[in-house]
Amino acid sequence: MSGRNDKGRRGREQGNGQHKRSRSSSSSFASSIAGVPVVVGQTVQSTIVGLTHEGEGVGRFEGYTLFVRDALPGELVHAEVISIGKSFGRARMTELLESSPDRREAPCEIYDSCGGCQLQHLDYSAQLRWKRQLVVDNLVRIGKLQVAGEDSQGVVVHPTMGMSEPWRYRNKAQVPIGVAAGQLIGGFYEHGSNDIVEMDACLIQQEQNEETVRAVKEAARMLDIGAYNRVTGRGLLRHVVVRHAQSTGQRMVVLVTNGRDIPHRLELVALIRERVPGVVSVCQNVNTLTTPVVFGEETRVLWGEDVIYDEIDGIQFAISPRSFFQVNPEQTVRLYSKAVEYAALTGKETVIDAYCGAGTISLFLARHADRVYGVEIIPEAIEDARRNAVINGIKNVEFAVGDAEVVMPRWQREGIQPDVIVVDPPRKGCDGVLISTMLELRPQRIVYVSCNPSTLARDLRLLEDGGYRTVEVQPVDMFPHTGHVECCSLLVRND
Ligand code: SAH
């Protein structure tokens, strides 16, 4: 039995299912290194003992670590070494000698060449177990925390909350546009190249998004709208970004263009309106930079609304093209409900929600608190947050634009004394100043929502050293079939 083809799926930054490009990550160009028991090109037999957060198998050979794409824990493989470094190398599976009972046939046809998913070849319940273990390992190794076992005390790490139907969950698609054989295409970047591969079906996308993207591509082809060429920097259409608000059925289309003028703009909008059911907003974002960043600074409405409305657990949210909004609606409710549960509010508390985005968690908390303060760095997101408070008639919230690590100390000087602080930082975790401000503010509880177990573990250690105890951690599977895991953690003050 042979492994997958080597146009494998790893090494690409995945961005939660957004088909982004990144550089391949070989550890060294040397073909042999003193003290390393393998050379590049050598085929070795290796037992797989673990799985990295990017879903690569961790193989051992004579005490040396080799990352082997597609290999699963417990498997025995033949693998050809493709790069080496002092402490680890990378190898390509050439033969699967002993297969894991958790191995599955990936249902997606483009799984091998697309970087969006990393774990389709692993049974879903095994994915959930692995994600919990990844969290435990980080808490122990980086956080130096003791995790409760069957007969030992410590932080309780719950089983990962999974989805009953872990497909078709994403409410947003971000599709790069390019040219192949003179024809406009859109799909994903092929691994290790700048080539875009045409894609019509993605099994983790909601079908409405697929339908929208297909319609926009067809309309662009009919009107001969040029696709952006990433080598020459010429051509117009760079990305098609679409959102689907599951609770209302509303859809948004954002055309990211390399320049302001769109030829046949009115016809294009008319075709989109005719072919995309539920579309209420067609926007343009202008991005003339040559970097791989998707959005530029300027966004304008071509037709319809500037936002779409979605609803989570009875609260309405206006979402504009560039605001952060969780992509898995079914799991979002569960994540936010867990944050509210951990906050244990009685209606009397003052709460700070740091890194609040469009105010989602803040509004969930406001229903149970006396007053909520939210802070977020992106001005448009705070505009959305304020609008969201108004449309839901929620008056006990206040939002500030700025760096959380600057605004929190200001609030401290103004005498705001939170009973609970909720943080939901980006992957790099909380800023050091923010952590020390939290420790000075001494809330009874801290609820830490994290999309990165390693920075979570680092920050939990700092909070523990500052007088808090991590009580429990709930991993939530927001991104099935990818290596990502979200956690909601509860800390209480020691006294
Ligand atoms: N809690 C929100 C958003 C979480 S994503 C939700 O669940 O929808 C993290 C947010 O932190 C993003 O909106 C990002 O723009 C914001 N952010 C990043 N760095 C920040 C900083 N230094 N200060 C404040 N907000 C920041």
Side-chain angles (χ1 to χ4, degrees):
M1 229 191 304
S2 113
R4 285 168 212 291
N5 69 40
D6 62 347
K7 294 185 286 181
R9 317 174 309 280
R10 301 321 124 89
R12 193 129 31 112
E13 191 188 341
Q14 193 278 129
N16 305 343
Q18 296 164 11
H19 302 288
K20 274 198 227 155
R21 192 174 26 158
S22 80
R23 309 281 162 252
S24 101
S25 45
S26 58
S27 43
S28 165
F29 295 112
S31 59
S32 71
I33 295 178
V36 169
V38 295
V39 295
V40 171
Q42 183 183 350
T43 295
V44 298
Q45 180 170 315
S46 173
T47 302
I48 308 301
V49 295
L51 206 54
T52 68
H53 68 280
E54 287 179 355
E56 289 176 310
V58 182
R60 304 290 289 168
F61 179 77
E62 293 181 5
Y64 183 71
T65 299
L66 283 169
F67 295 122
V68 188
R69 252 186 351 231
D70 306 313
L72 293 173
E75 293 189 330
L76 184 68
V77 303
H78 273 159
E80 184 191 333
V81 178
I82 45 182
S83 69
I84 54 172
K86 278 210 170 90
S87 47
F88 65 87
R90 290 207 143 72
R92 179 173 59 89
M93 176 156 63
T94 51
E95 200 177 355
L96 182 57
L97 301 169
E98 280 172 29
S99 165
S100 160
D102 292 327
R103 179 172 281 279
R104 295 290 175 272
E105 194 62 44
C108 174
E109 285 180 9
I110 53 166
Y111 183 53
D112 286 338
S113 49
C114 169
C117 296
Q118 297 79 38
L119 298 174
Q120 284 194 18
H121 61 301
L122 180 62
D123 174 65
Y124 187 57
S125 53
Q127 289 182 26
L128 297 176
R129 285 197 303 277
W130 170 70
K131 288 186 182 189
R132 177 185 179 274
Q133 194 55 45
L134 191 74
V135 173
V136 169
D137 292 347
N138 277 281
L139 295 184
V140 172
R141 196 166 42 82
I142 300 170
K144 307 279 180 262
L145 290 162
Q146 185 168 342
V147 171
E150 266 168 33
D151 41 26
S152 58
Q153 304 257 307
V155 183
V156 177
V157 181
H158 298 283
T160 310
M161 231 182 233
M163 296 182 79
S164 50
E165 189 48 64
W167 299 100
R168 298 288 185 193
Y169 57 85
R170 281 187 65 94
N171 59 15
K172 176 183 164 191
Q174 221 159 254
V175 178
I177 300 296
V179 188
Q183 159 98 300
L184 179 142
I185 57 159
F188 61 92
Y189 292 105
E190 185 162 36
H191 180 63
S193 84
N194 283 333
D195 294 344
I196 291 167
V197 181
E198 172 75 351
M199 172 177 66
D200 274 322
C202 169
L203 300 180
I204 63 170
Q205 269 303 337
Q206 295 181 1
E207 268 149 343
Q208 290 85 350
N209 286 336
E210 263 175 18
E211 183 186 52
T212 308
V213 171
R214 213 179 298 130
V216 175
K217 284 194 288 191
E218 274 166 18
R221 281 174 199 141
M222 285 167 70
L223 297 170
D224 251 338
I225 290 177
Y228 181 65
N229 180 322
R230 280 153 183 83
V231 179
T232 62
R234 298 177 110 141
L236 187 67
L237 191 56
R238 296 176 67 130
H239 271 88
V240 173
V241 179
V242 304
R243 296 206 203 230
H244 170 239
Q246 198 168 16
S247 65
T248 59
Q250 294 187 345
R251 299 193 206 178
M252 172 183 269
V253 172
V254 187
L255 306 167
V256 183
T257 55
N258 176 36
R260 272 197 123 225
D261 291 336
I262 304 180
H264 310 294
R265 175 170 55 88
L266 297 178
E267 291 101 311
L268 180 62
V269 169
L271 278 172
I272 292 172
R273 289 179 57 190
E274 186 185 302
R275 289 161 180 238
V276 179
V279 68
V280 297
S281 169
V282 181
C283 295
Q284 177 187 11
N285 174 274
V286 182
N287 183 1
T288 54
L289 300 172
T290 50
T291 61
V293 173
V294 175
F295 285 113
E297 286 305 317
E298 184 189 348
T299 307
R300 63 169 175 155
V301 177
L302 297 179
W303 172 81
E305 310 277 330
D306 59 343
V307 292
I308 54 170
Y309 290 93
D310 208 346
E311 194 184 296
I312 312 174
D313 197 31
I315 303 186
Q316 270 197 300
F317 292 99
I319 310 152
S320 54
R322 290 182 62 198
S323 272
F324 177 90
F325 193 71
Q326 288 285 358
V327 297
N328 183 334
E330 184 183 326
Q331 294 296 83
T332 300
V333 188
R334 307 176 81 186
L335 178 71
Y336 291 174
S337 303
K338 196 42 86 175
V340 171
E341 179 194 320
Y342 284 172
L345 302 171
T346 64
K348 296 191 194 122
E349 294 81 3
T350 299
V351 186
I352 289 179
D353 178 18
Y355 309 95
C356 70
T360 38
I361 296 179
S362 317
L363 297 186
F364 260 65
L365 295 163
R367 298 195 284 194
H368 309 280
D370 178 46
R371 190 139 199 92
V372 178
Y373 295 86
V375 53
E376 155 67 40
I377 202 162
I378 297 193
E380 294 99 303
I382 287 294
E383 274 171 42
D384 284 356
R386 290 184 178 135
R387 162 151 54 175
N388 290 334
V390 171
I391 58 180
N392 290 285
I394 296 177
K395 299 200 171 70
N396 56 339
V397 290
E398 201 171 294
F399 292 106
V401 181
D403 255 321
E405 53 271 27
V406 174
V407 173
M408 286 260 284
R410 193 181 81 210
W411 281 339
Q412 184 187 16
R413 288 194 297 275
E414 289 169 9
I416 292 167
Q417 287 188 331
D419 303 288
V420 181
I421 296 181
V422 178
V423 294
D424 182 7
R427 288 189 66 75
K428 66 176 194 243
C430 289
D431 184 88
V433 174
L434 188 104
I435 299 258
S436 39
T437 311
M438 283 205 274
L439 294 176
E440 286 167 22
L441 285 167
R442 290 176 39 85
Q444 251 140 38
R445 287 167 174 252
I446 296 174
V447 179
Y448 194 137
V449 180
S450 159
C451 58
N452 183 348
S454 63
T455 54
L456 171 68
R458 178 201 67 198
D459 292 346
L460 292 182
R461 171 49 39 217
L462 296 172
L463 294 168
E464 291 253 340
D465 292 344
Y468 283 81
R469 179 169 63 89
T470 310
V471 181
E472 51 188 313
V473 178
Q474 175 63 64
V476 180
D477 195 20
M478 303 294 283
F479 312 104
H481 311 293
T482 77
H484 295 274
V485 55
E486 193 92 8
C487 287
C488 186
S489 310
L490 167 65
L491 295 100
V492 295
R493 209 171 65 202
N494 274 333
D495 48 46

